[in-house]
Amino acid sequence: MPKHGKKYRKATEGTEQIGLTVEQAVASAVEKAYAKFDETVDVAINLGVDPKYSDQMIRGAVTLPNGLGKEIRVACFVSGEKEAEAKEAGADFVGGDDLVAKVKDGWLDFDKAIATPDMMAKVGQIGRVLGPRGLMPNAKTGTVTFDVAGAVKEVKAGRVEFKVDKAGVLHAPIGKVSFGAEKLLENLKTLLETVNKLKPSSAKGTYMKAVAVATTMGPGFKIDPLAARKYSES
């Protein structure tokens, strides 16, 4: 049996998939997308870090200039006057103890969670539910803050949170195929710039070892690491 389906194999025919420039990789990913839905374009970056050391755990967030092309449902764990601030900023779900209780009962109908620092003791009670799903608010990604309005607006605008995995690979979406190559390139450049700025001083050797771009269903296109670095610095 073939490893990939007929459409996937057809998409790779006569197409260079390694050693590409950033522009070539993104253009190829868009051109070769074949699904009937508007596929997400993802980037995978293999970093020269060892995540078992806390100072080499690359984690952060970035607001992409062209957003992600999807509606983000935001839940805000806040109390008092911050509830009105969150609602005015566009949060979809706002509450304190009641929202925590709702999650305890199994409700998880949201994509991102934001909390004020004073609410984190209560949000910690549902950490085992939120954590594995990547929904736990975190100060390092700007989702634990008293600036609730600012956080909600950034998340709604297309802020992407990222974290390197145990293998040293960072995965992040950069938009939809329908964006076209130009907008995707702008988003990718912003992401690469942010990741470069997070390079730890303790990391030795090549920092950005490999970069690949792919759509949800389509083949991956590998960017030359040097080209990726130069692109992020241009």
Coordinates of all heavy atoms in Angstrom, one line a residue, residues 76-172:
C76 N -12.1 34.6 29.4 CA -11.4 35.4 30.4 C -11.8 35.1 31.8 O -12.9 35.2 32.1 CB -11.6 36.9 30.1 SG -10.7 37.5 28.7
F77 N -10.8 34.6 32.6 CA -11.0 34.4 34.0 C -10.6 35.6 34.8 O -9.5 35.9 35.1 CB -10.2 33.2 34.4 CG -10.5 31.9 33.7 CD1 -10.0 31.5 32.5 CD2 -11.5 31.0 34.3 CE1 -10.3 30.4 31.9 CE2 -11.9 29.9 33.6 CZ -11.3 29.5 32.4
V78 N -11.6 36.4 35.1 CA -11.4 37.7 35.7 C -12.5 37.9 36.8 O -13.5 37.2 36.8 CB -11.4 38.9 34.7 CG1 -10.2 38.7 33.8 CG2 -12.7 38.9 33.9
S79 N -12.4 39.0 37.5 CA -13.4 39.4 38.5 C -13.5 40.9 38.6 O -12.6 41.6 38.1 CB -13.1 38.8 39.9 OG -11.9 39.3 40.3
G80 N -14.6 41.4 39.2 CA -14.8 42.8 39.4 C -14.9 43.6 38.2 O -15.5 43.2 37.2
E81 N -14.2 44.8 38.2 CA -14.3 45.7 37.0 C -13.6 45.1 35.8 O -13.9 45.5 34.6 CB -13.6 47.0 37.4 CG -12.1 46.9 37.7 CD -11.5 48.2 38.2 OE1 -12.2 49.1 38.5 OE2 -10.2 48.3 38.1
K82 N -12.8 44.1 35.9 CA -12.1 43.5 34.8 C -13.1 42.7 33.9 O -12.8 42.5 32.7 CB -11.0 42.6 35.2 CG -9.8 43.3 35.8 CD -9.1 44.2 34.8 CE -7.9 44.9 35.4 NZ -7.2 45.8 34.4
E83 N -14.2 42.3 34.5 CA -15.2 41.6 33.7 C -15.8 42.5 32.6 O -15.9 42.1 31.4 CB -16.3 41.1 34.5 CG -15.9 40.0 35.5 CD -17.1 39.3 36.1 OE1 -18.2 39.4 35.6 OE2 -17.0 38.6 37.1
A84 N -16.1 43.7 32.9 CA -16.6 44.7 31.9 C -15.5 45.0 30.9 O -15.8 45.2 29.7 CB -17.0 46.0 32.6
E85 N -14.3 45.1 31.3 CA -13.1 45.4 30.4 C -13.0 44.3 29.4 O -12.8 44.6 28.2 CB -11.9 45.6 31.2 CG -10.6 45.9 30.4 CD -9.3 46.0 31.2 OE1 -9.4 46.4 32.4 OE2 -8.3 45.7 30.7
A86 N -13.1 43.1 29.9 CA -12.9 41.9 29.0 C -14.0 41.9 27.9 O -13.8 41.6 26.7 CB -12.9 40.6 29.8
K87 N -15.3 42.1 28.4 CA -16.4 42.1 27.5 C -16.3 43.2 26.4 O -16.6 42.9 25.3 CB -17.7 42.2 28.3 CG -18.0 41.0 29.2 CD -19.3 41.2 30.0 CE -19.6 40.0 30.9 NZ -20.8 40.3 31.8
E88 N -15.9 44.3 26.9 CA -15.8 45.5 25.9 C -14.7 45.2 24.9 O -14.8 45.7 23.7 CB -15.5 46.7 26.7 CG -15.5 48.0 25.9 CD -15.3 49.3 26.7 OE1 -15.5 49.2 27.9 OE2 -15.0 50.3 26.1
A89 N -13.7 44.5 25.3 CA -12.6 44.2 24.4 C -12.9 43.1 23.4 O -12.2 42.9 22.4 CB -11.3 43.8 25.1
G90 N -14.0 42.4 23.6 CA -14.5 41.4 22.7 C -14.3 39.9 23.1 O -14.5 39.0 22.3
A91 N -14.1 39.7 24.4 CA -14.0 38.3 24.9 C -15.3 37.6 24.7 O -16.4 38.2 24.9 CB -13.6 38.3 26.4
D92 N -15.2 36.3 24.4 CA -16.5 35.6 24.1 C -17.1 35.0 25.4 O -18.3 34.9 25.5 CB -16.1 34.4 23.2 CG -15.6 34.9 21.9 OD1 -16.4 35.2 21.0 OD2 -14.3 34.9 21.7
F93 N -16.3 34.7 26.4 CA -16.7 34.2 27.7 C -16.0 34.8 28.8 O -14.8 34.9 28.8 CB -16.5 32.7 27.7 CG -17.0 31.9 26.5 CD1 -16.2 31.5 25.5 CD2 -18.4 31.7 26.3 CE1 -16.6 30.9 24.4 CE2 -18.9 31.1 25.2 CZ -18.0 30.6 24.2
V94 N -16.7 35.4 29.8 CA -16.1 36.1 30.9 C -16.7 35.7 32.2 O -17.9 35.5 32.3 CB -16.4 37.6 30.7 CG1 -15.7 38.4 31.9 CG2 -15.8 38.1 29.4
G95 N -15.8 35.4 33.2 CA -16.3 35.1 34.5 C -15.2 34.8 35.4 O -14.0 34.8 35.1
G96 N -15.6 34.5 36.7 CA -14.6 34.1 37.7 C -14.8 32.7 38.2 O -14.6 31.7 37.5
D97 N -15.4 32.6 39.4 CA -15.6 31.3 40.0 C -16.6 30.5 39.1 O -16.5 29.3 39.0 CB -16.2 31.5 41.4 CG -15.2 32.0 42.4 OD1 -14.0 31.9 42.1 OD2 -15.7 32.6 43.4
D98 N -17.6 31.2 38.6 CA -18.6 30.5 37.7 C -18.0 29.9 36.5 O -18.3 28.8 36.1 CB -19.7 31.5 37.3 CG -19.2 32.7 36.6 OD1 -18.0 33.1 36.9 OD2 -19.9 33.3 35.8
L99 N -17.0 30.6 35.9 CA -16.3 30.0 34.7 C -15.4 28.9 35.0 O -15.3 27.9 34.3 CB -15.5 31.2 34.0 CG -15.2 31.0 32.5 CD1 -16.5 30.8 31.7 CD2 -14.5 32.2 32.0
V100 N -14.7 29.0 36.2 CA -13.9 27.9 36.7 C -14.8 26.6 36.9 O -14.4 25.5 36.5 CB -13.2 28.2 38.0 CG1 -12.5 27.0 38.6 CG2 -12.1 29.3 37.7
A101 N -15.9 26.8 37.5 CA -16.8 25.7 37.8 C -17.3 25.1 36.5 O -17.5 23.8 36.4 CB -18.0 26.2 38.7
K102 N -17.6 25.9 35.5 CA -18.1 25.4 34.3 C -17.1 24.5 33.6 O -17.4 23.5 33.0 CB -18.4 26.6 33.4 CG -19.3 26.3 32.2 CD -19.7 27.6 31.4 CE -20.5 27.3 30.2 NZ -20.9 28.5 29.5
V103 N -15.8 24.9 33.6 CA -14.7 24.1 33.1 C -14.6 22.8 33.8 O -14.4 21.7 33.3 CB -13.4 24.8 33.0 CG1 -12.2 23.9 32.6 CG2 -13.5 26.1 32.1
K104 N -14.7 22.8 35.2 CA -14.6 21.6 36.0 C -15.7 20.6 35.6 O -15.5 19.4 35.7 CB -14.8 22.0 37.5 CG -13.6 22.6 38.1 CD -13.9 22.9 39.6 CE -12.7 23.4 40.3 NZ -12.9 23.7 41.8
D105 N -16.8 21.2 35.1 CA -18.0 20.3 34.7 C -17.8 19.8 33.3 O -18.7 19.1 32.8 CB -19.3 21.1 34.8 CG -19.7 21.3 36.2 OD1 -19.2 20.6 37.1 OD2 -20.5 22.2 36.5
G106 N -16.7 20.1 32.6 CA -16.4 19.6 31.3 C -16.5 20.5 30.1 O -16.3 20.1 29.0
W107 N -16.9 21.8 30.4 CA -17.0 22.7 29.3 C -15.6 23.3 28.8 O -14.8 23.7 29.6 CB -17.9 23.9 29.7 CG -18.0 25.0 28.7 CD1 -18.8 25.0 27.6 CD2 -17.3 26.2 28.6 NE1 -18.7 26.2 26.9 CE2 -17.8 26.9 27.5 CE3 -16.3 26.8 29.5 CZ2 -17.3 28.2 27.2 CZ3 -15.8 28.1 29.1 CH2 -16.3 28.7 28.0
L108 N -15.4 23.2 27.5 CA -14.1 23.7 27.0 C -14.3 24.3 25.6 O -13.5 24.1 24.7 CB -13.1 22.5 26.9 CG -12.5 22.0 28.2 CD1 -11.8 20.7 28.0 CD2 -11.5 23.0 28.7
D109 N -15.4 25.0 25.4 CA -15.8 25.5 24.1 C -15.1 26.9 23.8 O -15.8 27.9 23.5 CB -17.3 25.7 24.0 CG -17.8 25.9 22.6 OD1 -17.1 25.5 21.7 OD2 -18.9 26.4 22.4
F110 N -13.8 26.9 23.9 CA -13.0 28.1 23.6 C -11.6 27.7 23.1 O -11.2 26.6 23.3 CB -12.9 29.0 24.9 CG -12.3 28.4 26.1 CD1 -11.0 28.5 26.4 CD2 -13.1 27.6 26.9 CE1 -10.4 27.9 27.5 CE2 -12.6 27.0 28.1 CZ -11.2 27.2 28.4
D111 N -10.9 28.7 22.5 CA -9.6 28.4 21.8 C -8.5 29.0 22.7 O -7.4 28.4 22.6 CB -9.6 29.0 20.4 CG -10.7 28.5 19.6 OD1 -10.8 27.3 19.3 OD2 -11.6 29.4 19.1
K112 N -8.7 30.1 23.4 CA -7.6 30.7 24.2 C -8.2 31.1 25.5 O -9.4 31.5 25.6 CB -7.0 31.9 23.5 CG -6.3 31.6 22.1 CD -5.0 30.8 22.4 CE -4.3 30.5 21.0 NZ -3.1 29.7 21.3
A113 N -7.3 31.1 26.5 CA -7.8 31.6 27.9 C -6.8 32.7 28.4 O -5.6 32.6 28.2 CB -7.8 30.4 28.8
I114 N -7.4 33.7 29.0 CA -6.7 34.8 29.6 C -7.2 34.9 31.0 O -8.3 34.7 31.3 CB -7.0 36.1 28.8 CG1 -6.4 36.0 27.4 CG2 -6.4 37.3 29.5 CD1 -6.9 37.1 26.5
A115 N -6.2 35.2 31.9 CA -6.6 35.4 33.3 C -5.8 36.5 33.9 O -4.6 36.8 33.5 CB -6.3 34.1 34.1
T116 N -6.3 37.2 34.9 CA -5.6 38.2 35.7 C -4.8 37.4 36.7 O -5.2 36.3 37.2 CB -6.5 39.2 36.4 OG1 -7.6 38.5 37.0 CG2 -7.2 40.1 35.3
P117 N -3.7 38.0 37.2 CA -2.8 37.3 38.2 C -3.5 36.9 39.4 O -3.3 35.8 40.0 CB -1.7 38.3 38.5 CG -1.6 39.1 37.2 CD -3.0 39.2 36.7
D118 N -4.5 37.7 39.9 CA -5.2 37.4 41.1 C -6.2 36.2 41.0 O -6.6 35.6 42.0 CB -6.0 38.6 41.6 CG -7.0 39.1 40.6 OD1 -6.6 39.4 39.4 OD2 -8.2 39.2 40.9
M119 N -6.4 35.8 39.7 CA -7.3 34.7 39.5 C -6.6 33.3 39.3 O -7.2 32.3 39.2 CB -8.2 34.9 38.2 CG -9.4 35.9 38.5 SD -10.6 35.2 39.6 CE -11.1 33.7 38.7
M120 N -5.3 33.4 39.2 CA -4.5 32.2 38.9 C -4.6 31.1 39.9 O -4.5 29.9 39.6 CB -3.1 32.6 38.6 CG -2.9 33.2 37.2 SD -3.6 32.2 35.9 CE -2.5 30.8 35.9
A121 N -4.8 31.4 41.2 CA -4.9 30.4 42.2 C -6.2 29.5 41.9 O -6.1 28.3 42.0 CB -5.0 31.0 43.6
K122 N -7.2 30.2 41.4 CA -8.5 29.5 41.1 C -8.4 28.8 39.8 O -8.8 27.6 39.6 CB -9.6 30.4 41.1 CG -9.9 31.0 42.5 CD -11.1 32.0 42.5 CE -11.3 32.6 43.9 NZ -12.4 33.6 43.9
V123 N -7.7 29.4 38.8 CA -7.5 28.8 37.5 C -6.6 27.5 37.6 O -6.8 26.6 36.9 CB -6.9 29.8 36.5 CG1 -6.6 29.1 35.2 CG2 -7.9 30.9 36.3
G124 N -5.7 27.6 38.6 CA -4.8 26.5 38.9 C -5.6 25.2 39.2 O -5.1 24.1 39.0
Q125 N -6.8 25.4 39.7 CA -7.6 24.2 40.1 C -8.0 23.4 38.9 O -8.4 22.2 39.0 CB -8.9 24.7 40.8 CG -8.6 25.4 42.2 CD -9.9 26.0 42.8 OE1 -11.0 25.6 42.4 NE2 -9.7 26.9 43.7
I126 N -8.0 24.1 37.7 CA -8.4 23.4 36.5 C -7.2 23.2 35.5 O -7.4 23.0 34.3 CB -9.6 24.1 35.7 CG1 -9.2 25.6 35.6 CG2 -10.9 23.9 36.5 CD1 -10.3 26.4 34.8
G127 N -6.0 23.4 36.1 CA -4.8 23.3 35.3 C -4.6 21.9 34.6 O -4.1 21.8 33.5
R128 N -5.1 20.8 35.3 CA -4.9 19.5 34.7 C -5.8 19.3 33.5 O -5.6 18.5 32.7 CB -5.3 18.4 35.7 CG -4.2 18.3 36.9 CD -4.6 17.2 37.8 NE -3.6 17.1 38.8 CZ -3.6 16.1 39.8 NH1 -4.6 15.3 39.8 NH2 -2.6 16.1 40.7
V129 N -6.9 20.2 33.4 CA -7.8 20.1 32.3 C -7.3 21.0 31.1 O -7.2 20.6 30.0 CB -9.2 20.6 32.7 CG1 -10.1 20.6 31.5 CG2 -9.7 19.7 33.8
L130 N -6.8 22.2 31.5 CA -6.4 23.2 30.5 C -5.0 22.9 30.0 O -4.8 23.1 28.8 CB -6.4 24.6 31.1 CG -7.7 25.1 31.7 CD1 -7.5 26.5 32.2 CD2 -8.8 25.2 30.6
G131 N -4.1 22.5 30.8 CA -2.7 22.3 30.4 C -2.5 21.4 29.3 O -1.9 21.8 28.3
P132 N -3.0 20.1 29.3 CA -2.8 19.2 28.2 C -3.4 19.7 26.9 O -2.9 19.2 25.8 CB -3.5 17.9 28.7 CG -3.5 18.0 30.2 CD -3.7 19.5 30.4
R133 N -4.3 20.6 26.9 CA -5.0 21.1 25.7 C -4.3 22.4 25.3 O -4.8 23.0 24.3 CB -6.5 21.3 26.0 CG -7.2 20.0 26.2 CD -8.6 20.2 26.7 NE -9.3 18.9 26.9 CZ -9.2 18.1 27.9 NH1 -8.3 18.4 28.8 NH2 -9.9 17.0 27.9
G134 N -3.3 22.9 25.9 CA -2.6 24.1 25.6 C -3.4 25.3 25.8 O -3.3 26.4 25.2
L135 N -4.3 25.2 26.8 CA -5.2 26.4 27.1 C -4.9 27.1 28.4 O -5.5 28.1 28.8 CB -6.7 25.8 27.2 CG -7.3 25.3 26.0 CD1 -8.7 24.6 26.3 CD2 -7.5 26.4 24.9
M136 N -3.9 26.6 29.1 CA -3.5 27.2 30.4 C -2.9 28.6 30.3 O -1.9 28.8 29.5 CB -2.6 26.3 31.2 CG -2.3 26.8 32.6 SD -3.8 26.6 33.7 CE -3.1 27.1 35.2
P137 N -3.5 29.6 30.9 CA -2.9 31.0 30.8 C -1.5 31.0 31.3 O -1.2 30.3 32.3 CB -3.8 31.8 31.7 CG -5.1 31.1 31.7 CD -4.7 29.6 31.7
N138 N -0.6 31.8 30.7 CA 0.8 31.8 31.1 C 1.4 33.2 30.9 O 1.2 33.8 29.9 CB 1.6 30.8 30.2 CG 3.0 30.6 30.7 OD1 3.9 31.5 30.5 ND2 3.3 29.4 31.2
A139 N 2.1 33.7 31.9 CA 2.6 35.0 31.9 C 3.6 35.2 30.7 O 3.7 36.3 30.1 CB 3.3 35.3 33.2
K140 N 4.4 34.1 30.4 CA 5.4 34.2 29.3 C 4.8 34.4 28.0 O 5.4 35.0 27.1 CB 6.2 32.9 29.3 CG 7.2 32.8 30.5 CD 8.0 31.6 30.4 CE 9.0 31.5 31.6 NZ 9.9 30.3 31.5
T141 N 3.5 34.1 27.8 CA 2.9 34.3 26.5 C 1.9 35.4 26.6 O 1.1 35.7 25.6 CB 2.1 33.0 26.1 OG1 1.2 32.6 27.1 CG2 3.1 31.9 25.8
G142 N 1.9 36.2 27.7 CA 1.0 37.3 27.8 C -0.4 37.1 28.1 O -1.2 38.0 28.0
T143 N -0.7 35.9 28.5 CA -2.1 35.5 28.8 C -2.5 35.6 30.3 O -3.6 35.3 30.7 CB -2.5 34.2 28.2 OG1 -1.6 33.2 28.6 CG2 -2.6 34.3 26.7
V144 N -1.5 35.9 31.1 CA -1.7 36.2 32.5 C -1.3 37.7 32.7 O -0.1 38.0 32.7 CB -0.9 35.3 33.5 CG1 -1.1 35.7 34.9 CG2 -1.3 33.8 33.3
T145 N -2.3 38.5 32.8 CA -2.0 40.0 32.8 C -3.2 40.8 33.4 O -4.3 40.3 33.3 CB -1.7 40.5 31.4 OG1 -1.5 41.9 31.4 CG2 -2.8 40.1 30.4
F146 N -2.9 41.9 33.9 CA -4.0 42.8 34.3 C -4.5 43.7 33.1 O -5.5 44.3 33.2 CB -3.5 43.7 35.4 CG -3.5 43.1 36.8 CD1 -2.4 42.9 37.5 CD2 -4.7 42.6 37.3 CE1 -2.4 42.3 38.7 CE2 -4.7 42.0 38.6 CZ -3.5 41.8 39.3
D147 N -3.7 43.7 32.0 CA -4.1 44.4 30.8 C -5.0 43.4 30.0 O -4.6 43.0 28.9 CB -2.9 44.8 30.0 CG -3.3 45.6 28.7 OD1 -4.5 46.0 28.6 OD2 -2.4 45.8 27.9
V148 N -6.2 43.2 30.5 CA -7.1 42.2 29.9 C -7.5 42.6 28.5 O -7.5 41.8 27.6 CB -8.3 42.0 30.8 CG1 -9.3 41.1 30.1 CG2 -7.9 41.4 32.1
A149 N -7.8 43.9 28.4 CA -8.3 44.4 27.1 C -7.2 44.2 26.0 O -7.5 43.8 24.9 CB -8.7 45.9 27.2
G150 N -6.0 44.6 26.3 CA -4.9 44.4 25.4 C -4.6 43.0 25.0 O -4.4 42.7 23.8
A151 N -4.7 42.1 26.0 CA -4.5 40.7 25.7 C -5.6 40.1 24.8 O -5.3 39.4 23.9 CB -4.4 39.9 27.0
V152 N -6.8 40.5 25.1 CA -7.9 40.0 24.3 C -7.8 40.4 22.8 O -8.0 39.7 21.9 CB -9.3 40.4 24.9 CG1 -10.4 40.1 23.9 CG2 -9.6 39.8 26.2
K153 N -7.5 41.7 22.6 CA -7.4 42.3 21.3 C -6.2 41.6 20.5 O -6.4 41.3 19.3 CB -7.2 43.8 21.4 CG -8.4 44.5 21.8 CD -8.2 46.0 22.0 CE -9.4 46.7 22.5 NZ -9.2 48.2 22.8
E154 N -5.1 41.3 21.2 CA -4.0 40.7 20.5 C -4.3 39.3 20.1 O -4.0 38.8 19.0 CB -2.8 40.7 21.4 CG -2.1 42.0 21.6 CD -0.7 41.9 22.3 OE1 -0.3 40.8 22.6 OE2 -0.1 42.9 22.5
V155 N -5.0 38.5 21.0 CA -5.4 37.1 20.7 C -6.4 37.1 19.5 O -6.2 36.3 18.6 CB -5.9 36.4 21.9 CG1 -6.6 35.1 21.5 CG2 -4.9 36.2 23.0
K156 N -7.3 38.0 19.6 CA -8.3 38.1 18.5 C -7.7 38.5 17.2 O -8.2 38.1 16.1 CB -9.4 39.1 18.9 CG -10.4 38.7 20.0 CD -11.4 37.7 19.4 CE -12.5 37.4 20.4 NZ -13.5 36.5 19.8
A157 N -6.6 39.3 17.2 CA -6.0 39.8 16.0 C -5.1 38.7 15.4 O -4.7 38.9 14.2 CB -5.1 41.0 16.3
G158 N -4.9 37.6 16.1 CA -4.1 36.5 15.5 C -2.8 36.3 16.1 O -1.8 36.0 15.5
R159 N -2.7 36.4 17.5 CA -1.5 36.1 18.2 C -1.3 34.6 18.3 O -2.2 33.8 18.6 CB -1.5 36.7 19.6 CG -0.2 36.5 20.3 CD -0.1 37.3 21.6 NE -1.1 36.8 22.6 CZ -1.2 37.3 23.8 NH1 -0.4 38.3 24.2 NH2 -2.0 36.8 24.7
V160 N -0.1 34.2 18.0 CA 0.3 32.7 18.0 C 1.2 32.4 19.1 O 2.2 33.1 19.3 CB 1.0 32.3 16.6 CG1 1.5 30.9 16.7 CG2 0.0 32.5 15.5
E161 N 0.8 31.5 19.9 CA 1.7 31.0 21.0 C 2.5 29.8 20.5 O 1.9 29.0 19.8 CB 0.8 30.6 22.2 CG 0.1 31.8 22.8 CD -0.8 31.4 24.0 OE1 -0.6 30.3 24.5 OE2 -1.6 32.2 24.4
F162 N 3.7 29.7 20.9 CA 4.5 28.6 20.4 C 5.4 28.1 21.6 O 5.8 28.9 22.5 CB 5.4 29.0 19.2 CG 6.2 30.2 19.4 CD1 7.5 30.1 20.1 CD2 5.8 31.4 19.0 CE1 8.2 31.3 20.2 CE2 6.6 32.6 19.1 CZ 7.8 32.5 19.8
K163 N 5.8 26.9 21.5 CA 6.7 26.2 22.5 C 7.4 25.1 21.8 O 6.8 24.3 21.2 CB 5.8 25.7 23.7 CG 6.6 25.1 24.8 CD 5.6 24.6 25.8 CE 6.4 23.8 26.9 NZ 5.5 23.3 28.0
V164 N 8.7 25.0 22.0 CA 9.5 24.0 21.5 C 9.2 22.6 22.1 O 8.9 22.6 23.3 CB 11.0 24.3 21.6 CG1 11.5 24.2 23.0 CG2 11.9 23.4 20.7
D165 N 9.1 21.6 21.4 CA 8.8 20.3 22.0 C 10.1 19.6 22.5 O 11.2 20.1 22.4 CB 8.0 19.4 21.0 CG 8.8 19.0 19.7 OD1 10.0 19.1 19.8 OD2 8.2 18.6 18.7
K166 N 9.9 18.4 23.0 CA 11.0 17.6 23.6 C 12.1 17.3 22.6 O 13.3 17.2 22.9 CB 10.5 16.3 24.2 CG 9.6 16.5 25.4 CD 9.2 15.2 25.9 CE 8.3 15.4 27.2 NZ 7.8 14.0 27.7
A167 N 11.8 17.3 21.3 CA 12.8 17.0 20.2 C 13.4 18.3 19.7 O 14.3 18.2 18.8 CB 12.1 16.3 19.1
G168 N 13.0 19.4 20.3 CA 13.7 20.7 19.9 C 13.0 21.3 18.6 O 13.6 22.1 18.0
V169 N 11.8 20.8 18.3 CA 11.0 21.3 17.2 C 9.9 22.3 17.6 O 9.2 21.9 18.5 CB 10.5 20.2 16.3 CG1 9.7 20.7 15.1 CG2 11.6 19.3 15.9
L170 N 9.8 23.4 16.9 CA 8.7 24.3 17.2 C 7.7 24.3 16.0 O 8.1 24.4 14.9 CB 9.4 25.7 17.4 CG 8.5 26.9 17.8 CD1 9.5 28.0 18.4 CD2 7.9 27.6 16.6
H171 N 6.5 24.2 16.4 CA 5.4 24.2 15.3 C 4.5 25.4 15.5 O 4.2 25.8 16.6 CB 4.6 22.9 15.4 CG 5.3 21.7 15.2 ND1 5.5 21.1 13.9 CD2 5.9 20.8 16.0 CE1 6.2 20.0 14.0 NE2 6.5 19.8 15.3
A172 N 4.1 26.0 14.4 CA 3.2 27.2 14.5 C 2.5 27.4 13.2 O 3.1 27.2 12.1 CB 4.0 28.5 14.9

